[in-house]
Amino acid sequence: SAGCISRVLFSPGVVEDLNPIGSNSYGVTTCETCAQNPCLNGGLCQEAHSAEGYACICPSGYSGTNCQELGEVCYAGACGGGRCVQSQGGYECMCPFGKTGKRCEKEINILEPAFSEDAFAAYPTPKAVAKLDVEMRLKPETIDDSILIYCAQANDGEGDFTSLAIRDKHLEFMFDAGSGPAVIRSEREIRVGEWINVTMWRDAQKAHLKINEDKPVHGRSPGSARGLNLQTPFYLGGTDPQRIRVNRIVGVKRGFKGCVSSLKLQNRKLNLLAEHTDSANVEDCSSAAPCQRDPCGRNGVCTDFGDGQFSCTCETGFTGKLCENEPTACNTRKPCKNGGKCRESPGNEYECLCLMGYGGKDCEKTVTVETEAYIAKSGYIELPRSMLPHHSEDLPEKVAFKITTTDRNGLLFFHGPPETMDGAGMDHFTIALVDGYVTVSYELGNGPASIKWDKYPISDGVQHRVLVVRTGKTATVQVDESNVAYGEAGGILRRLNAAGNIYIGGAPALRRMTGGAHSVGLSACIKELQIGETKPVNFAKMAVQGIAVGKCDDEMWQPRAN
C-alpha cells in the first residue's frame, strides 16, 4: 500500500516525528501534500507539520485551513489585552478577567463568575496524587451536556484525568488513574436556575459525589492504579480549546453555562477572582449590590460607588483590588526607589529589579551603561524593532556580540511577537544558551529551524564572541574564530514577520512570548552588540527600557553560577 505518515504516537505524550526521513529507509519519499493544491481563493500551499500535512498562506481577506473562509484575520492588538483566535468568517476574542466586549474593550467588575460555552477560568494544578476533595456552589443556566471541572495529565487528552460534567441532566464525576475510569453519576437531575452545593471526593480508588444534603453516590475505579497524575491547570467552567484536548472518555467538550459562587479545592477556599492563572470570556452573574457579597478579603472595607463599581480599603500591609495579597517586605516597606520593581524572596526578603540607569540593592545608585552591560537573570534590555526591519528577504541580517556568563541555560536575543501575544507557532528569531551551547532558532511560517553550535560550551566565565547571520531561509552561527555551523528552514517562505521589539538577555513575559520554548533569561555581560551593519549599540541612547541592568565592571554585577 501507499500513503503518508508524519508522526507516530508510541505512548501517551511521546510522539516521534518522522520528518526529516532517516538515513536507514527504503522506498520512502517526502509526501507531496501540496500536489493537488487544496488552498482556495488564490492561497499558496506549503508542506507543514499539521494534521493535514500542509498549511495554506491565504491572501488578504481570507482565512481557514484551506483559505475557504471570508473574513478578517487576527492581527496584533485586535483584542486589546485578550487573545485573538481565528474562526469561521473572521476572528474572535478571548477576553481576560475583568474585560468584555467584542474586542475586549469594556471593563466589568466580576463578583460572581458567570460562564458561557466559550468561557473558562484556570487555577493552579492541585496536588492530588492520592486524594482529591472539591466543593463548589453553582447555578446552571441550561442543563445541556457541558464541562464544569477538568484537570489532566497531558494537554492532548491522553493519560490520567478527573472531571465533573453535566450529562443527560445529571452530574457525572469521573477520574482515571491509569487502569480505567471511575464514573459516578448523581441520582437526582439538576434544574435550571437552582443553586446547588456539590462535593466530589476521592481517596485512591474510592470516591463519592454528593449534591446538597443528598445521600452520597459512591464509586470505585477498576484495576490496581491508585495515584492520579495531574499536570494541567485546574479548569473551571470549561477548558482552553487552543491548548487542551479533553479526554474522549469524558464524552463532552462544551463549556458550562451558568454561575459559580464558590470553589473549595483540597480543603482550601479559592478566591475565584484573584487566584486564576488564565481565563477567557468570564462575565458577572451577581445581581446583588457588590458590597453585599463581601468581596474584600482580610477584613477589608468595601465602598459601593453605584452601577456595580466598588473599591476595597485594605488593612495595613494587605494589597490588591480585593485585599488578597498578604503583607510582605515589598508592600509594607516599599524599598525600591527610582521606579524599581520589588520582587519577593524567601524569608520575607526582597529583590529590586531596577530600571536602566539605576542600581544598588534598593535602586538608589545611578549607573551609566553604554556599549556594554551586565543583565541579571531577572532582567532584560528592550530595543526598538526598527533596528531589524526585515525589509528584504535577500539581505543578510547580522547579530554579533561579546558575552561572558556562567549560566548554562537562558535567552540571549529575541525578536518575535509583541509582549501581549502568545508566541506559539509565530515568526521569531532567537539566540539562546542550551546546556552552555549557543543555539539559534527561527520561524518563518514553514516550521521552526534550529542550529546548535556544538564545538564547546561558552558558559565558562570567559569572554566569547558570537556571530549569527540569517539570510532568507538559511542561517550561520560562529563562536570566536572557529568553524561555522549552518542551518536552513524548510518550505518556501523566506521573510521574517516579527511585530514585537527586540529583547536582550530576557523578556517581560518570556514564557508566553516564546510560546513556552524559554522560561528564564540569562545572567551575562554583553559587550559590543551589533544588529545589522550598525556600530555597537549604545544601550543608554537606543534602549526603549531596561530592567536589572548594570555595569560589567561593577562588583555587584559580576556573573554568578546557577
Side-chain angles (χ1 to χ4, degrees), residues 21 44 80 227 253 483 495 507:
I21 298 169
L44 181 64
K253 300 178 181 178
N483 294 334
R495 180 175 296 182

Side-chain angles (χ1 to χ4, degrees), residues 383-553:
L383 299 169
R385 58 174 296 208
S386 58
M387 298 187 70
L388 205 56
H390 316 297
H391 288 321
S392 171
E393 60 188 31
D394 297 317
L395 292 177
E397 295 182 341
K398 182 179 78 171
V399 177
F401 53 87
K402 294 178 180 178
I403 177 173
T404 306
T405 184
T406 55
D407 283 1
R408 291 177 55 81
N409 294 282
L411 187 72
L412 267 168
F413 177 96
F414 179 75
H415 189 200
E419 177 184 350
T420 56
M421 297 187 69
D422 188 331
M426 300 190 70
D427 283 18
H428 68 85
F429 180 23
T430 303
I431 306 172
L433 286 191
V434 178
D435 294 328
Y437 294 91
V438 177
T439 303
V440 174
S441 64
Y442 54 101
E443 166 71 75
L444 308 176
N446 306 311
S450 181
I451 309 168
K452 179 181 178 181
W453 191 88
D454 58 2
K455 302 299 185 296
Y456 49 80
I458 67 167
S459 53
D460 52 8
V462 176
Q463 181 172 281
H464 297 274
R465 185 179 185 273
V466 177
L467 171 63
V468 179
V469 180
R470 186 192 69 84
T471 306
K473 297 194 301 178
T474 66
T476 59
V477 185
Q478 184 181 32
V479 176
D480 300 325
E481 301 300 326
S482 61
N483 294 334
V484 173
Y486 172 88
E488 182 172 0
I492 61 172
L493 298 179
R494 296 166 52 84
R495 180 175 296 182
L496 183 73
N497 294 306
N501 280 340
I502 298 167
Y503 293 88
I504 310 298
L510 185 53
R511 187 183 296 274
R512 180 174 69 241
M513 294 171 71
T514 63
H518 298 278
S519 59
V520 295
L522 202 68
S523 299
C525 175
I526 304 292
K527 297 183 179 182
E528 299 176 16
L529 171 66
Q530 290 180 271
I531 299 176
E533 298 300 330
T534 63
K535 296 179 179 179
V537 175
N538 186 316
F539 297 119
K541 294 181 179 179
M542 294 298 299
V544 175
Q545 66 169 328
I547 300 292
V549 178
K551 296 172 64 176
C552 291
D553 60 353

Side-chain angles (χ1 to χ4, degrees), residues 236-254:
L236 176 66
T239 60
D240 184 349
Q242 304 300 309
R243 295 188 172 100
I244 297 293
R245 181 184 301 167
V246 176
N247 194 298
R248 57 183 174 77
I249 299 173
V250 177
V252 58
K253 300 178 181 178
R254 183 169 49 193

Side-chain angles (χ1 to χ4, degrees), residues 79 81-83 93-101 104-116 119-123 234 236-237 260-261 263 270-285 310 321-322 324:
C79 298
R83 194 194 321 167
C93 292
M94 300 177 68
C95 301
F97 242 63
K99 293 287 187 178
T100 188
C104 308
E105 74 279 9
K106 300 177 183 177
E107 291 190 5
I108 56 170
N109 278 321
I110 299 176
L111 303 177
E112 199 168 76
F115 297 88
S116 55
F120 70 87
Y123 297 90
F234 186 89
L236 176 66
V260 177
S261 65
L263 175 65
L270 293 183
N271 187 325
L272 296 178
L273 311 183
E275 295 188 49
H276 63 279
T277 57
D278 194 10
S279 65
N281 302 337
V282 179
E283 300 278 348
D284 181 50
C285 187
F310 72 97
K321 181 178 180 181
L322 305 174
E324 68 272 16

Side-chain angles (χ1 to χ4, degrees), residues 140-219:
E141 187 176 320
T142 71
I143 51 175
D144 296 334
D145 289 0
S146 56
I147 289 178
L148 275 159
I149 286 173
Y150 184 77
C151 191
Q153 180 178 0
N155 293 351
D156 61 3
E158 302 292 336
D160 297 0
F161 76 92
T162 187
S163 66
L164 179 67
I166 299 176
R167 295 288 303 276
D168 302 322
K169 303 180 182 180
H170 294 260
L171 288 183
E172 196 169 81
F173 169 30
M174 301 180 67
F175 68 91
D176 188 343
S179 56
V183 183
I184 305 168
R185 186 180 175 87
S186 69
E187 293 182 353
R188 73 146 77 182
E189 292 185 356
I190 60 174
R191 294 181 293 194
V192 172
E194 178 186 30
W195 281 104
I196 57 174
N197 297 309
V198 179
T199 300
M200 45 189 286
W201 172 90
R202 167 191 166 267
D203 187 348
Q205 294 178 282
K206 299 181 296 181
H208 73 238
L209 175 66
K210 180 181 177 181
I211 298 178
N212 293 339
E213 298 303 321
D214 295 356
K215 182 180 179 181
V217 180
H218 294 271

